[in-house]
Amino acid sequence: MIPRYTNPAMGAIWSDQRRYETWLEVELAATDAMADAGVIPAAAAAELRARASFDIARIEEIEQVTQHDVIAFTTAVAEHAGPAARWLHFGLTSSDVLDTAQALQMRQACDLIVKDLAEALDAVRARAEEHRRTPMIGRTHGVHAEPMTLGVKLALWYAELQRDLDRVLRAREVISVGKISGAVGMFAHLDPAIEAKVCERLGLVPAPVSSQVIQRDRHAELLTALAITAASLEKFALEIRGLQKTEIGEVEEPFGKGQKGSSAMPHKRNPIGCEQITGLARLLRGNAHAALENIALWHERDISHSSVERVILPDSFIALDHMLRRFTRIVRGMVVYPDRMRENLQRSRGVVFSGTVLLELARRGISREQAYEWVQRNAMRAFHEQRDFKTLLLEDADLTKVLSRDEIEKAFDLNEHFRNVDAIFDRVFASVPAAV
C-alpha cells in the first residue's frame, strides 16, 4: 500500500499503471527494432504500435489462472492487438521485459531524488549563509569542546548532501542498462544488434553481458546510495533533535499554528518530523541489506530477488523522496535561537578556550606538558568552584609570568576562532553558483 505521504509523482512511477505502461514500452521498442532489422513484418510492428493496450483488471483476471504476470500481460495486450499480436514478445523472455522496464522506472525515480536533493541543498545553503557567523558551542562526546558557528555546521551538511547527490547520479548511470539477450543471455533467438536498438530507443545502455537477468550488484549499488542518503538525513535530523532538547534549546523544527505536540501535555513542541526521518532511515538500511542479499542467485537466475524488489524499490524511493522533502521544509522553517547559543557557549565559564591558551604558552617556550598542567588545573577549578576560567588564569602567577593580560584576553576572542570561516565557506561553495 502506498503511504498517504507519498509524492504523487513518485507514487505514479511505482503504480501498477506505470509498471504495465513501461512493460508495453519495452515490448513495442522490441517490435520496432525487429521490424527495422527485417525480423518481423513492418506492418505488424506498426499495427502493434497503433492497437496495443491493456486493462489492469483483465491482466489480474488472467493471472489468477496463469500464475504468471508477464504471460497474463501479453495475453491481455493480444486481445486488443489482433493478429499482429503473434509478433508481440517474439524472441523475448520475461526478464528481458521486466528488467529493462524496471531500469526505466528506477531511472525516473532517481531523477526525482536528484531534484529533491537539489532543493535540500539550496535550503541548507541559504541557512548556512544566514548563520555564517552565528556563534555556538561545538560538542564532542556530547560535551562542550570549542566555539564554532551554526553556519559551519550547516556547510558540513551541505558538503555531505553533495556527496549523496554524486552517489545517486553514479548509481543512476549504473542501473540505466537494459537486456534483450534471452533466457540465459546467449542471444539464441535475437542478435545483440536488436538489443542495442531497443536500448537506444529507450535511452538505456545494453548490459555488456547478462544471464537471464541484469546482475543485481547494480541494484544493490543503487539501494546502498539511497540508504546512505537516508543515513545523512538521519544524522542531520538527530542533530536538530539534540539541539532542540529543553536543556539545550538552540534550534527547533518548525511548529505550525494549530499543531499539537501531545494529547496529554499541551505545552509540548516535539521534533516529530526529525524523528520520522530517523525512523525511515532504518527502513532504507534494511532494504539496502535485502538488495545485497539479492546479488547471489542460483546459476543463470532464480526468482528469489523478484518478490524482494517489488517491496524494496518502491518503498525505498517513496520513503527517501518523502524524507528529503520533509527535511527541506524543516531546514527552511527551522527556528534558531542565537541568544540561547551564546548562553550555552558561556555556560562552561570560558574553559572552551583552554586549547588556545595552551598553544599560546607553547609558543612562548613552555613545554606542552607543563603548559597543559597549568591550564588544566585552572579549568578544573572553574568546574569545581564554578568560577570564571579567564579570571582564574589572570590570577595564576605561573601563567601571568608568560602571558600578558592582553594576550590572555585575545585567547578568548571569538573573532580569532572564526577567522577562517570564510575560507571554509569558499571551499564548500566555491564551485556552486549562489542562488538568485
Side-chain angles (χ1 to χ4, degrees):
M1 183 177 70
I2 295 176
R4 61 180 174 81
Y5 55 69
T6 302
N7 174 5
M10 183 63 82
I13 292 171
W14 301 106
S15 67
D16 288 343
Q17 179 68 29
R18 183 57 187 142
R19 175 160 56 99
Y20 292 130
E21 286 173 352
T22 311
W23 289 8
L24 187 57
E25 190 176 350
V26 173
E27 293 278 11
L28 294 178
T31 57
D32 287 343
M34 285 187 276
D36 290 347
V39 175
I40 68 171
E47 186 175 355
L48 285 169
R49 178 66 68 177
R51 296 183 58 183
S53 62
F54 60 85
D55 177 80
I56 293 176
R58 179 58 178 150
I59 294 171
E60 293 174 346
E61 180 184 2
I62 297 170
E63 190 176 356
Q64 291 298 314
V65 178
T66 63
Q67 296 296 301
H68 193 291
D69 53 358
V70 176
I71 292 175
F73 169 75
T74 56
T75 302
V77 172
E79 292 175 350
H80 294 271
R86 70 190 181 96
W87 300 109
L88 185 73
H89 205 69
F90 186 81
L92 304 184
T93 192
S94 296
S95 291
D96 289 333
V97 177
L98 296 176
D99 280 10
T100 304
Q102 188 165 265
L104 295 176
Q105 290 175 283
M106 290 188 292
R107 187 179 63 183
Q108 292 166 3
C110 282
D111 289 342
L112 288 184
I113 296 299
V114 167
K115 180 181 177 182
D116 292 338
L117 277 164
E119 292 179 359
L121 282 161
D122 286 346
V124 171
R125 181 177 187 176
R127 299 310 301 268
E129 292 286 3
E130 178 186 352
H131 293 285
R132 181 186 286 231
R133 302 188 73 84
T134 300
M136 66 182 301
I137 186 62
R139 298 170 173 91
T140 59
H141 304 274
V143 177
H144 283 201
E146 290 187 349
M148 63 180 298
T149 74
L150 177 59
V152 169
K153 184 186 290 287
L154 293 170
L156 183 138
W157 294 6
Y158 183 97
E160 185 162 341
L161 283 169
Q162 186 64 57
R163 293 193 296 275
D164 290 326
L165 175 59
D166 292 342
R167 275 186 284 265
V168 171
L169 288 172
R170 287 195 299 269
R172 180 189 185 278
E173 182 177 357
V174 167
I175 55 88
S176 292
V177 298
K179 60 90 61 182
I180 308 290
S181 57
V184 292
M186 293 299 293
F187 296 99
H189 307 296
L190 296 172
D191 291 337
I194 300 295
E195 179 186 74
K197 282 290 186 181
V198 172
C199 289
E200 182 182 1
R201 289 172 185 270
L202 298 173
L204 301 173
V205 175
V209 60
S210 58
S211 59
Q212 190 176 97
V213 296
I214 292 172
Q215 301 307 286
R216 261 43 194 182
D217 63 290
R218 296 177 181 273
H219 303 64
E221 183 171 345
L222 171 62
L223 269 293
T224 303
L226 300 184
I228 292 173
T229 303
S232 294
L233 298 181
E234 178 185 20
K235 167 183 168 179
F236 310 149
L238 192 65
E239 182 69 8
I240 294 172
R241 288 170 60 194
L243 296 178
Q244 188 168 333
K245 288 180 180 178
T246 305
E247 295 80 4
I248 297 176
E250 294 180 354
V251 305
E252 187 177 55
E253 75 170 53
F255 192 86
K257 183 178 181 181
Q259 184 175 340
K260 306 293 188 288
S262 166
S263 63
M265 297 170 285
H267 70 279
K268 295 299 292 293
R269 294 161 66 99
N270 301 326
I272 58 169
C274 289
E275 289 171 342
Q276 185 183 76
I277 288 170
T278 301
L280 288 174
R282 299 167 187 165
L283 177 68
L284 267 75
R285 280 196 290 278
N287 289 352
H289 179 80
L292 291 168
E293 295 290 332
N294 275 353
I295 293 174
L297 304 176
W298 280 26
H299 306 299
E300 277 56 62
R301 178 243 183 159
D302 62 56
I303 203 172
S304 60
H305 66 288
S306 177
S307 56
V308 179
E309 288 174 357
R310 290 173 191 242
V311 176
I312 65 174
L313 285 174
D315 278 10
S316 293
F317 275 109
I318 287 170
L320 183 58
D321 172 69
H322 171 71
M323 291 168 70
L324 281 163
R325 291 184 299 119
R326 183 143 202 185
F327 172 72
T328 299
R329 292 195 300 271
I330 288 171
V331 170
R332 286 177 177 155
M334 184 173 66
V335 182
V336 178
Y337 298 102
D339 291 344
R340 180 68 169 178
M341 288 181 171
R342 280 194 173 272
E343 179 185 340
N344 287 338
L345 179 58
Q346 296 162 1
R347 186 177 297 276
S348 47
R349 302 179 184 84
V351 296
V352 296
F353 297 95
S354 67
T356 304
V357 178
L358 172 69
L359 293 179
E360 290 304 314
L361 289 169
R363 284 192 181 97
R364 285 156 181 79
I366 305 301
S367 72
R368 182 178 180 83
E369 292 72 23
Q370 183 64 78
Y372 197 102
E373 192 277 324
W374 289 352
V375 175
Q376 187 184 44
R377 75 188 181 201
N378 285 286
M380 294 304 104
R381 285 188 65 193
F383 281 124
H384 297 310
E385 299 174 18
Q386 298 188 7
R387 293 188 60 192
D388 179 66
F389 179 57
K390 182 167 62 176
T391 300
L392 290 170
L393 295 178
L394 291 169
E395 294 174 356
D396 190 311
D398 289 329
L399 273 93
T400 54
K401 288 178 184 176
V402 181
L403 298 176
S404 68
R405 172 179 285 273
D406 287 345
E407 288 168 338
I408 292 174
E409 291 280 357
K410 186 178 180 182
F412 289 76
D413 185 351
L414 280 177
N415 289 325
E416 284 294 309
H417 277 263
F418 298 164
R419 67 185 182 279
N420 288 314
V421 166
D422 291 343
I424 295 170
F425 270 62
D426 287 345
R427 283 183 169 187
V428 175
F429 301 113
S431 62
V432 184
V436 177

